[in-house]
């Protein structure tokens, strides 16, 4: 089993930045891919960014390309999401997810991920 815990959410004005962190514990050798998803009220959960832990390849949803950066610190079992130039439409609950996953050039769907954190709220005001 893998436990994931997110931190770093908060409220910020449009154009601002936030950095989310996801710390893994338990069987941390099991997943090879960690992603960030988000879900706004009344909307489906959507993939934002993913990183493969071995080679470090990253993938982003088009809505965040050039603004968000996903990175890993293997020694600390941590994956971070640096979010810049935030927009009101980025407002959502952000979730960290992990999986043992075949390589894909996309973030993937929620049902591809086996482990989930509790989420952290990000609110961007105009």
């Amino acid at each position: 089993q893998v436990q994931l815990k997110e931190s770093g959410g908060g409220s910020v004005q449009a154009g601002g930045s936030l950095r989310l962190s996801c710390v893994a514990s338990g069987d941390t050798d099991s997943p090879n891919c960690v992603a960030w998803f988000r879900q706004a009220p009344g909307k489906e959960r959507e993939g934002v960014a993913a990183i493969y832990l071995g080679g470090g390849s990253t993938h982003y949803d088009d809505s965040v390309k050039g603004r968000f950066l996903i990175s890993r610190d293997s020694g600390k079992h941590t994956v971070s999401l640096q979010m810049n130039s935030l927009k009101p439409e980025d407002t959502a609950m952000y979730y960290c997810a992990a999986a043992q996953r075949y390589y894909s050039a996309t973030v993937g769907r929620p049902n591809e991920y086996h482990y989930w954190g509790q989420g952290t709220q990000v609110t961007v005001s105009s």
Side-chain angles (χ1 to χ4, degrees):
Q1 290 293 321
V2 178
Q3 294 78 45
L4 303 173
K5 183 170 178 60
E6 305 96 336
S7 63
S11 297
V12 65
Q13 289 192 327
S17 298
L18 284 173
R19 185 177 179 87
L20 306 183
S21 292
C22 172
V23 179
S25 59
D27 185 12
T28 56
D29 290 335
S30 176
N32 68 335
C33 182
V34 176
W36 287 94
F37 285 77
R38 66 186 180 187
Q39 188 167 19
K43 294 189 177 181
E44 293 186 354
R45 192 169 295 191
E46 62 177 2
V48 173
I51 185 167
Y52 281 85
L53 301 179
S57 62
T58 58
H59 307 285
Y60 298 90
D61 183 77
D62 287 344
S63 65
V64 305
K65 279 181 181 176
R67 300 188 299 122
F68 291 11
L69 179 68
I70 189 170
S71 61
R72 74 196 193 289
D73 183 336
S74 299
K76 296 182 179 179
H77 302 298
T78 300
V79 171
S80 299
L81 185 69
Q82 178 67 41
M83 305 186 296
N84 300 322
S85 301
L86 282 162
K87 304 175 181 180
E89 51 263 45
D90 294 319
T91 295
M93 184 71 79
Y94 282 71
Y95 298 91
C96 177
Q100 181 68 31
R101 183 172 178 249
Y102 287 111
Y103 180 79
S104 171
T106 66
V107 178
R109 300 180 301 274
N111 62 6
E112 297 178 46
Y113 290 81
H114 317 307
Y115 306 105
W116 290 85
Q118 295 294 316
T120 186
Q121 178 68 37
V122 171
T123 302
V124 185
S125 58
S126 57

